[in-house]
Amino acid sequence: TIYIRSRNDANAMHNLRNTPTPFAASPSTRGYTIRVCTDKDCLLDGAADAISMASSLAPATCKVEACGCLGPCGGGPNIQVKDGEGKAVKDGRPGKSSYYLFKGINSAEEVASMYSFVTGKEVGTGRLAEEKVMSTRGPLDLDRTTRIALQRLLYVLVALFLKTADEKGTWDVVGGEVVENSYAAGAVAVFVASQFMGTGSKANGG
């Protein structure tokens, strides 16, 4: 089992998306596909450790692979489980979201709980009993959902610049002083800044 701890290794983890991780099942007994998100946000939340734990604890009926963004970002690592027919399995564990995504799989205990629910058989944590994922998310590492919300707020600010200029009938007067193209410059500056919020993802939830 290899644990990748450094944020500098994040880009390398993206290569896992096209390389299924090792699993114990033979082709005739692979009943479930365990898809671990390795996009930016989940990597920060410890997806490298999660995929390693999922591989180590996988029952014979499960195969583990990396994938791109599964949708709701933040509070990961997120995992999607698909049955033999390719249908997503809902997380129906007590106290969970009942969503078609297993969110916050951040420890060996969570991985074992997921497998136990999906397979209907008790799956233990074994030697990984105390293992938890290593999150590298810092205070400025906002999740994608939050970044999208902030970007939308910046768009509102752009609209306020334009609305104010329209109401005043000028792009140049601020507080009674003439500042050439002030509202236009402000709107452009805020809009450009909004494009650096990092809201994109390589969605792969299909």
Side-chain angles (χ1 to χ4, degrees), residues 134-146:
M134 178 66 73
S135 173
T136 57
R137 186 181 293 279
L140 298 180
D141 291 319
L142 304 178
D143 63 72
R144 180 170 174 263
T145 302
T146 301

Side-chain angles (χ1 to χ4, degrees), residues 71-152:
C73 300
N78 295 329
I79 294 179
Q80 182 188 63
V81 179
K82 288 192 172 184
D83 62 20
E85 297 180 351
K87 297 179 180 179
V89 177
K90 181 183 292 187
D91 186 357
R93 295 174 295 167
K96 299 301 181 181
S97 64
S98 294
Y99 190 68
Y100 287 97
L101 195 66
F102 291 75
K103 302 172 65 177
I105 305 299
N106 55 13
S107 67
E109 183 178 356
E110 280 290 323
V111 172
S113 172
M114 175 188 70
Y115 280 137
S116 297
F117 173 78
V118 169
T119 64
K121 299 179 180 179
E122 186 65 28
V123 175
T125 55
R127 61 184 177 81
L128 302 180
E130 303 300 321
E131 290 287 342
K132 297 184 181 298
V133 303
M134 178 66 73
S135 173
T136 57
R137 186 181 293 279
L140 298 180
D141 291 319
L142 304 178
D143 63 72
R144 180 170 174 263
T145 302
T146 301
R147 296 196 304 273
I148 290 175
L150 290 176
Q151 186 183 61
R152 299 301 183 265

Side-chain angles (χ1 to χ4, degrees), residues 18-62:
N18 298 318
T19 307
T21 53
F23 49 88
S26 61
S28 61
T29 59
R30 298 172 187 171
Y32 298 93
T33 300
I34 312 301
R35 307 177 72 232
V36 184
C37 173
T38 56
D39 208 69
K40 178 182 178 180
D41 278 299
C42 279
L43 281 174
L44 290 175
D45 288 331
D49 289 347
I51 198 170
S52 184
M53 290 178 189
S55 298
S56 296
L57 299 178
T61 54
C62 298

Side-chain angles (χ1 to χ4, degrees), residues 154 157-159 161-162 171 181-193:
L154 290 176
L157 186 56
V158 170
F161 273 112
L162 300 178
W171 292 95
N181 294 322
S182 55
Y183 291 110
V188 170
V190 173
F191 179 78
V192 170

